[in-house]
């Protein structure tokens, strides 16, 4: 168990560092092609930060409204409240607010910019179709997302994707109008300049795709980490593994979900298509891999 958590944290850090290095590579290409210097990067950073901060501070309200979720009281769903309170105590964080989506498809998600402003939202189908141990496993998974500040990490990733997308678009526009190509040749000259121009052009075209793939890889890695951390809270990985099987096998569509919110749920509510290429563009790891990882967990310290 401890080895799984440590390994997932290390991989997450590696992906973030790789993402940062990639952004700096795109900045280099931007300077090569446009000659704007650091000004273009600063402008892209400011635009991305403004957009991301708006989403960061209001994402919980936006997601809950889009999902048609409603708050529930302790009197209405006492067992849900007791489960959330107990696991929040075990995690050492404030108790999240509880919301429910009236939908027969079983699923759940967590949102909120930090533990003090967090929400755990479940569907009525989840409450009806899962037993006590399975429900505890799902709530613990979402509690782990909150404790691990995954919303903050995803916001950082969104900022970096936004920077890359803006710089890429400006590079291609610069090439289209010819100014960037002339400036690059004037500075570099000869065959070396042509090679640098080609490299920068390839980066301009492929960088938004690569940035999105890195963001999705971070998302998948955080799902593994939330599984392991959640199992640590309940001390019973089999409960979460069984819940994942039930949720994935359920055939009812989650009507409240869409492409903008699908990455939040414990299991992707949109139907996944198999294949290695599609796996790269998925926000969640394959259910089989998550279950296999949970089944290998034990609580003996290394």
């Amino acid at each position: 168990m401890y080895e799984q958590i440590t390994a997932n944290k290390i991989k997450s850090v590696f992906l973030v560092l790789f993402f940062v290095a990639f952004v700096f590579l795109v900045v280099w290409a931007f300077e090569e092609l446009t000659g704007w210097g650091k000004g273009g990067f600063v402008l892209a950073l400011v635009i991305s930060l403004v957009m991301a901060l708006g989403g960061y501070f209001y994402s919980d309200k936006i997601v809950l409204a889009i999902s048609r979720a409603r708050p529930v009281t302790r009197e209405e769903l006492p067992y849900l409240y007791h489960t959330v309170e107990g696991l929040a105590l075990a995690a050492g964080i404030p108790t999240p607010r509880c919301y429910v989506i009236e939908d027969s498809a079983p699923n759940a998600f967590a949102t909120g910019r930090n533990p003090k402003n967090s929400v755990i939202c479940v569907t009525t189908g989840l409450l009806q179709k899962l037993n006590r141990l399975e429900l505890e496993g799902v709530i613990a998974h979402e509690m782990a997302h909150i404790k691990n500040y995954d919303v903050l990490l995803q916001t950082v990733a969104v900022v970096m994707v936004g920077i890359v997308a803006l710089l890429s678009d400006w590079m291609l526009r610069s090439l289209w109008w010819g100014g960037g190509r002339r400036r690059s040749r004037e500075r570099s000259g000869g065959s070396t300049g042509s090679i640098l121009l080609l490299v920068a052009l390839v980066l301009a075209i492929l960088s938004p795709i690569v940035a999105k793939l890195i963001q999705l890889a971070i998302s998948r890695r955080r799902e593994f980490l939330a599984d392991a951390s959640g199992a640590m809270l309940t001390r019973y990985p089999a409960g979460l593994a069984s819940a994942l099987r039930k949720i994935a096998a359920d055939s009812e569509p989650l009507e409240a979900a869409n492409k903008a919110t699908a990455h939040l749920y414990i299991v992707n509510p949109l139907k996944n298509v198999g294949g290695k290429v599609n796996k790269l563009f998925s926000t969640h790891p394959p259910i089989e891999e998550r279950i296999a990882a949970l089944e290998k967990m034990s609580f003996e310290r290394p």
Side-chain angles (χ1 to χ4, degrees), residues 109 125 174 187 225:
F109 68 82
S174 175
R187 286 200 307 274
L225 179 59

Side-chain angles (χ1 to χ4, degrees), residues 23 26-27 41 44-45 48 158-168:
V23 170
V26 174
V27 171
F41 169 68
L45 177 60
S48 299
V158 166
V159 170
M160 289 192 282
V161 170
I163 291 171
V164 170
L166 286 172
L167 293 180
S168 173

Side-chain angles (χ1 to χ4, degrees), residues 133-278:
L133 293 174
E134 292 165 345
L135 179 61
E136 286 180 352
V138 170
I139 299 299
H141 171 98
E142 301 305 335
M143 198 74 67
H145 275 309
I146 295 169
K147 183 177 181 179
N148 295 336
Y149 285 84
D150 284 337
V151 173
L152 175 60
L153 180 61
Q154 285 297 332
T155 300
V156 173
V158 166
V159 170
M160 289 192 282
V161 170
I163 291 171
V164 170
L166 286 172
L167 293 180
S168 173
D169 182 63
W170 293 343
M171 281 190 284
L172 292 175
R173 289 178 186 274
S174 175
L175 285 175
W176 177 261
W177 293 106
R181 185 188 298 271
R182 286 193 298 271
R183 280 191 290 271
S184 180
R185 283 178 176 173
E186 288 170 4
R187 286 200 307 274
S188 301
S191 59
T192 303
S194 299
I195 293 172
L196 289 175
L197 180 64
L198 179 60
V199 172
L201 178 59
V202 171
L203 274 174
I205 296 171
L206 297 181
S207 58
I209 300 173
V210 175
K212 190 64 179 179
L213 289 176
I214 299 172
Q215 181 192 12
L216 293 172
I218 293 172
S219 176
R220 291 193 295 271
R221 187 48 51 188
R222 302 308 284 187
E223 289 299 322
F224 277 123
L225 179 59
D227 285 345
S229 300
M232 178 72 74
L233 293 177
T234 63
R235 317 297 289 185
Y236 188 63
L240 178 55
S242 178
L244 292 175
R245 284 193 190 93
K246 281 189 178 180
I247 297 171
D250 193 272
S251 59
E252 295 189 62
L254 182 55
E255 296 179 357
N258 55 49
K259 289 183 178 180
T261 61
H263 68 283
L264 294 172
Y265 289 88
I266 186 171
V267 173
N268 192 339
L270 307 179
K271 297 299 181 182
N272 289 318
V273 181
K276 292 183 179 180
V277 174
N278 290 296

Side-chain angles (χ1 to χ4, degrees), residues 68-79:
R68 300 190 296 275
R70 63 176 180 84
V72 292
T73 63
R74 183 189 303 273
E75 293 72 25
E76 183 181 359
L77 292 173
Y79 180 69

